[in-house]
Amino acid sequence: EGRLFKELEIDNFLEEDFFSWLARPPAHQSALRVVRALFSLLRHYRLRELSEDVLKALYQELVDPETRHDLGEYYTPDWLAHRMINKMLDANPQGAMLDPACGSGTFLYLTIREKIARLGRTQETLAHILENVAGADIHPLAVITAKTNFILGLGDLLKQRRGPVSIPVYLADTVALPERKGYAYPARLYRKVIVHEELVENLTVYNLAVELAKDFAEENRGQPVSRENFQSARNFPAHQQNELVKSLFHVAQALKTFIEEGKDTIWAFILKNILKPLSFLKKFDFILGNPPWISFRYLDREYQKEVRGLITRTHHLLTGRGHLITHMEVGTLFLVRAADLYLKEGGTIGFVLPRAVMSADQHDELRRGTFRLSRDTHLRLTWQELWDCEQVSPLFNVPCCVLWAQKIKAVSDQRPLPGEVLAGELPRKNASLIESEAKLTVTPADFSLHRRGRRTFWAPWPATVKKGPSYYRDRFYQGATIVPRSFWFVQVKPSPLGFNPEAPPLVTDPRALKEAKKPYRDVCFSGQVERRFLYATLLSTDLLPFGHLPFRLVVLPLVPHEGRYRLLDAEQSRQKGFSYLSRWLITAEEEWNKRRGSKAGEMDIYERIDRFHGLTGQNPNAENLVIYNALGSDISASLIKPFQYIFSINDQKIQTTGVIIDYKLYFFETDNNKEAEYITSILNSKLVNYLIKPMQPRGLWGPRGIEKKVLELPIPQFDGTLLSGRNYLR
């Protein structure tokens, strides 16, 4: 219930929050048994002797992996957080610090410990920390864990207090702030609540005001109320009829409605927290943290609408490249947004980010510094330092870096970005700073911004002027999105009596089921299909340098038409007499409509497989196709002849209509066999594979993603008169 902490004048440690149900009668006795069992274990720990955030591992275990992925939560090891904090406090030990996505509170805890070590165990230090170290997060369990760490960090320093203490850690979204309407802010709760701007200017006053409104709401449950009796009950002067009182009465009315509708009192807690970031504006000397590591495509659909506007219109993080937004790391928006809203002029921000920000296309505007700040248009965020942590282990599931920037009046600076390359094997993931210093090698480096055609990347060597992009960049195309794979990828159902090769019995390929996304893992199609709708295809995993694994069999409702393909739906197939295909497509339509996710919108199954005309844009008459893999660490290219491929099944043969290229491959059509061999040879060269590495983002298994990066290299057009062995890349 939090009474103990309130008696100790720690006001907001335990409040009427998401976990208060444990103290209510239905759960009270069971909760007490659990708490006593936990206490019997915890009593053996001397918590005042802690020197690290011991709660982060517990917090990570309590939150299921799917939720952590959806929130982009990956806890920061103590050594890395401590190293970042020391960098800031060495420059300004009195600086005010915010962690806008604080998780379990690692940065808060270590900042508090460092400030105490540098400023001393005095009452002034306590007051300084409570005023100048703050955090926020959108996960309620993270907030209560971070508050606990905040108190553990203060430790015996709390004995120095001379009055009530409020822990400055809040349940709030620090990215999508409510926009002011006149002199008030609309807070989106169960219903919209209007809060006057004067209420949120002072945190203490705001907390008291919401508590006052909540108490009035509870006292008048089921009773009619007016602003006059609210005003008299709360001892407002009779002449005080201003907007502030109206707003506070509106808050009380809203909370009263929630209580009467059985929505309990959680909304007062949320209201006290949700607008807290408004009091942070331009307050902090430095912002440190590890923002959510989550791509835009994994965000809730409603939240995407808000974040999309911040990325594209407010901060211009994706100008003219809207198609890349699905891959955008929300952490980069956090970086720019937090600096824009909460950083003082001259302040510094340092964030732990996926190393993809150094090379991925969707972060090009970030690297080049062409994004903008919305609130301080005369200021810009200028990159100050970069730490490359790819060679440190254990760390995160994907390589990371630490990016530093300063909010200053400055013009674009093209000089190399100073930084460090960290490498070493640590004794444990949450190693201390002292442990890490004994194992890490730190190499100073200057990171230059390199350009390859339309792409950029940071790398620790001087930038050189390169020709490019390739003549072939706009002549390679991505294949078709033949998904869901369990609908289209098939194999012939064997029979001891054989089968009709003109309409073979088919069943979903088990490999497609194994690799399918969750909604489609139990979809298994079965039935006959006319041979003319059977095609051969390859996936990126099937490709080898100068060759490939066996083709895969797919059912596709395509017919060649005027040098391209035309798509048939179920009804058109029936009308043309293709009854087997029609039945297959009817099943596909039903399963798609039943299982498709919200992101598919109103797209039907035919729009899905022919997205961006990936199917109908392919040429059934192409003589040579050069293909290479879109995914993977290393590039593999092959030359194929898209003839009618023959599958052999138990001594019987099926001749397919043609070859269709899948979206995990890029392809180039040419009638010139020598040109096809030339391009295939260059793409498979060790030099090309080496040159694309800095442009590739890093994953758990190293560099990944090739896409069209390889075509930013200066690969010239084939010249049939120069077949004397000339090096075309020179």
Side-chain angles (χ1 to χ4, degrees):
E1 294 173 328
R3 283 183 297 177
L4 169 65
F5 294 96
K6 285 183 173 64
E7 289 170 4
L8 294 172
E9 294 191 292
I10 301 175
D11 292 340
N12 67 332
F13 177 54
L14 291 182
E15 303 177 86
E16 183 73 17
D17 63 11
F18 289 90
F19 309 104
S20 299
W21 60 271
L22 286 165
R24 293 175 185 158
H28 192 243
Q29 291 304 315
S30 297
L32 278 177
R33 286 195 296 273
V34 173
V35 169
R36 287 190 179 111
L38 287 171
F39 180 68
S40 68
L41 297 172
L42 292 173
R43 65 189 298 184
H44 299 294
Y45 288 83
R46 287 176 288 187
L47 297 179
R48 64 165 46 89
E49 295 182 15
L50 287 177
S51 60
E52 64 179 71
D53 174 7
V54 296
L55 299 181
K56 70 177 75 176
L58 173 64
Y59 170 69
Q60 185 161 286
E61 291 299 320
L62 289 173
V63 182
D64 67 273
E66 186 173 342
T67 300
R68 278 195 287 115
H69 174 270
D70 290 345
L71 294 173
E73 291 182 334
Y74 298 92
Y75 78 72
T76 312
D78 275 17
W79 72 266
L80 183 55
H82 205 159
R83 199 171 190 270
M84 295 169 66
I85 289 163
N86 279 353
K87 173 180 168 61
M88 287 294 91
L89 294 183
D90 286 347
N92 181 9
Q94 294 281 351
M97 175 269 195
L98 170 69
D99 184 345
C102 64
S104 66
T106 298
F107 283 89
L108 303 177
Y109 174 85
L110 293 169
T111 298
I112 291 168
R113 304 296 287 188
E114 271 297 323
K115 279 186 174 284
I116 292 173
R118 294 164 187 254
L119 303 178
R121 292 181 173 274
T122 66
Q123 184 186 62
E124 290 74 20
T125 299
L126 175 62
H128 166 80
I129 290 171
L130 294 172
E131 179 64 26
N132 292 286
V133 180
D137 204 280
I138 60 170
H139 197 300
L141 184 57
V143 170
I144 201 168
T145 309
K147 284 183 177 180
T148 304
N149 262 325
F150 202 103
I151 290 176
L152 291 173
L154 291 172
D156 291 340
L157 189 62
L158 281 169
K159 295 177 182 178
Q160 302 280 352
R161 68 187 184 277
R162 291 182 182 174
V165 167
S166 181
I167 305 301
V169 180
Y170 307 106
L171 182 73
D173 183 347
T174 52
V175 169
L177 293 192
E179 291 293 329
R180 186 170 64 180
K181 306 294 183 184
Y183 294 98
Y185 291 93
R188 289 166 296 183
L189 304 181
Y190 170 61
R191 290 188 183 132
K192 187 165 71 174
V193 177
I194 305 299
V195 180
H196 198 275
E197 65 175 351
E198 288 184 37
L199 283 176
V200 298
E201 288 176 353
N202 183 297
L203 292 180
T204 303
V205 171
Y206 180 61
N207 284 345
L208 291 173
V210 175
E211 283 295 320
L212 179 149
K214 186 186 80 168
D215 292 344
F216 178 83
E218 290 176 336
E219 292 165 8
N220 292 275
R221 182 197 298 253
Q223 302 295 322
V225 295
S226 66
R227 196 168 76 234
E228 288 71 25
N229 63 23
F230 171 73
Q231 191 157 347
S232 60
R234 290 298 172 258
N235 297 318
F236 288 113
H239 66 276
Q240 196 166 1
Q241 298 287 337
N242 60 23
E243 293 297 322
L244 187 62
V245 177
K246 291 180 185 177
S247 174
L248 196 52
F249 175 62
H250 174 74
V251 171
Q253 278 184 308
L255 294 176
K256 178 175 176 291
T257 302
F258 297 159
I259 292 169
E260 291 171 348
E261 292 179 355
K263 303 299 179 185
D264 67 34
T265 54
I266 188 68
W267 299 106
F269 165 74
I270 294 175
L271 188 59
K272 281 195 291 186
N273 282 264
I274 197 172
L275 298 178
K276 282 298 194 323
L278 293 171
S279 66
F280 293 164
L281 298 178
K282 300 181 185 177
K283 176 182 176 180
F284 295 94
D285 299 291
F286 49 91
I287 297 173
L288 298 177
N290 183 354
W293 289 20
I294 182 171
S295 297
F296 177 88
R297 64 183 178 276
Y298 295 117
L299 295 176
D300 174 79
R301 194 165 181 81
E302 282 302 310
Y303 195 55
Q304 278 185 355
K305 296 176 183 177
E306 197 156 8
V307 171
R308 183 188 295 272
L310 293 173
I311 290 172
T312 57
R313 294 189 300 275
T314 304
H315 295 296
H316 293 197
L317 279 163
L318 273 178
T319 304
R321 291 186 167 192
H323 63 286
L324 293 173
I325 196 168
T326 57
H327 306 289
M328 187 82 178
E329 280 286 350
V330 175
T332 59
L333 173 62
F334 247 94
L335 174 73
V336 175
R337 188 72 172 157
D340 188 22
L341 295 176
Y342 311 119
L343 204 58
K344 294 177 181 177
E345 182 175 348
T348 300
I349 185 168
F351 267 6
V352 183
L353 294 166
R355 197 181 182 279
V357 302
M358 294 176 60
S359 58
D361 293 345
Q362 60 269 24
H363 306 305
D364 175 65
E365 303 271 2
L366 187 85
R367 289 188 293 273
R368 290 192 289 118
T370 54
F371 60 89
R372 72 180 187 186
L373 303 183
S374 63
R375 300 204 170 214
D376 293 303
T377 54
H378 66 292
L379 301 176
R380 40 182 307 118
L381 208 55
T382 302
W383 304 127
Q384 297 293 307
E385 195 169 339
L386 178 63
W387 299 352
D388 185 354
C389 303
E390 182 180 13
Q391 300 175 55
V392 178
S393 179
L395 194 46
F396 300 104
N397 290 337
V398 295
C400 82
C401 65
V402 179
L403 186 57
W404 299 91
Q406 193 174 18
K407 188 177 181 181
I408 55 176
K409 295 176 184 175
V411 296
S412 180
D413 190 353
Q414 298 299 318
R415 291 177 301 173
L417 178 61
E420 299 173 340
V421 176
L422 280 63
E425 190 77 26
L426 301 179
R428 58 193 180 105
K429 186 174 181 180
N430 199 39
S432 68
L433 183 60
I434 293 175
E435 289 175 306
S436 72
E437 286 175 340
K439 297 292 184 180
L440 286 179
T441 301
V442 180
T443 306
D446 287 331
F447 292 87
S448 297
L449 184 66
H450 296 250
R451 288 176 171 82
R452 295 286 185 273
R454 290 178 292 190
R455 288 181 163 84
T456 64
F457 58 90
W458 274 321
W461 56 78
T464 55
V465 178
K466 291 283 185 181
K467 292 181 180 179
S470 171
Y471 164 82
Y472 293 100
R473 184 180 67 184
D474 298 326
R475 290 165 173 79
F476 269 84
Y477 300 94
Q478 191 168 15
T481 53
I482 313 174
V483 293
R485 299 212 185 281
S486 51
F487 288 26
W488 313 112
F489 282 68
V490 295
Q491 63 181 23
V492 176
K493 196 173 183 179
S495 168
L497 300 178
F499 57 84
N500 176 7
E502 292 302 312
L506 305 172
V507 65
T508 295
D509 189 333
R511 293 174 297 177
L513 287 174
K514 185 178 179 181
E515 298 166 3
K517 292 186 176 181
K518 193 172 183 179
Y520 308 104
R521 286 177 189 161
D522 61 344
V523 179
C524 189
F525 284 35
S526 180
Q528 290 177 269
V529 172
E530 291 84 357
R531 181 187 63 80
R532 66 179 299 172
F533 301 107
L534 297 181
Y535 290 83
T537 193
L538 296 166
L539 302 185
S540 63
T541 51
D542 300 329
L543 211 57
L544 303 169
F546 300 103
H548 56 81
L549 300 179
F551 280 100
R552 301 180 188 230
L553 188 64
V554 287
V555 172
L556 292 172
L558 295 176
V559 290
H561 178 71
E562 297 180 355
R564 294 296 169 188
Y565 286 103
R566 187 159 59 88
L567 209 58
L568 300 179
D569 61 21
E571 179 57 24
Q572 291 168 335
S573 302
R574 186 191 65 78
Q575 291 176 0
K576 290 181 178 295
F578 305 127
S579 57
Y580 292 135
L581 176 66
S582 180
R583 285 196 288 270
W584 190 280
L585 295 178
I586 288 170
T587 305
E589 290 175 1
E590 291 173 351
E591 292 295 337
W592 172 254
N593 292 333
K594 182 169 64 176
R595 298 169 185 266
R596 66 181 174 188
S598 59
K599 292 182 180 179
E602 297 302 314
M603 189 186 302
D604 65 32
I605 186 62
Y606 307 104
E607 292 171 310
R608 185 68 188 94
I609 59 171
D610 193 34
R611 200 170 187 194
F612 308 120
H613 303 292
L615 281 177
T616 55
Q618 296 192 35
N619 180 7
N621 303 317
E623 293 188 19
N624 301 282
L625 288 179
V626 177
I627 57 175
Y628 72 85
N629 51 314
L631 306 177
S633 294
D634 300 316
I635 188 169
S636 294
S638 184
L639 167 58
I640 63 172
K641 305 285 187 178
F643 50 77
Q644 296 175 335
Y645 187 76
I646 296 175
F647 285 83
S648 297
I649 302 99
N650 294 341
D651 299 326
Q652 287 191 270
K653 298 184 185 300
I654 295 176
Q655 188 176 53
T656 59
T657 299
V659 173
I660 293 294
I661 306 302
D662 180 78
Y663 78 102
K664 291 191 175 181
L665 298 172
Y666 280 85
F667 68 94
F668 166 70
E669 301 175 1
T670 178
D671 294 336
N672 188 328
N673 186 67
K674 292 294 183 182
E675 182 180 33
E677 292 175 347
Y678 155 77
I679 299 171
T680 304
S681 299
I682 286 186
L683 292 178
N684 280 318
S685 69
K686 290 183 179 180
L687 177 59
V688 163
N689 199 46
Y690 170 78
L691 291 174
I692 65 172
K693 286 293 174 280
M695 291 187 275
Q696 293 179 269
R698 303 296 203 271
L700 181 59
W701 310 113
R704 57 185 172 84
I706 296 166
E707 306 296 338
K708 279 198 169 183
K709 297 177 179 67
V710 66
L711 300 172
E712 301 295 350
L713 300 177
I715 301 172
Q717 183 180 4
F718 173 73
D719 184 346
T721 66
L722 299 174
L723 295 177
S724 58
R726 176 179 174 180
N727 184 338
Y728 286 94
L729 276 183
R730 183 163 295 163

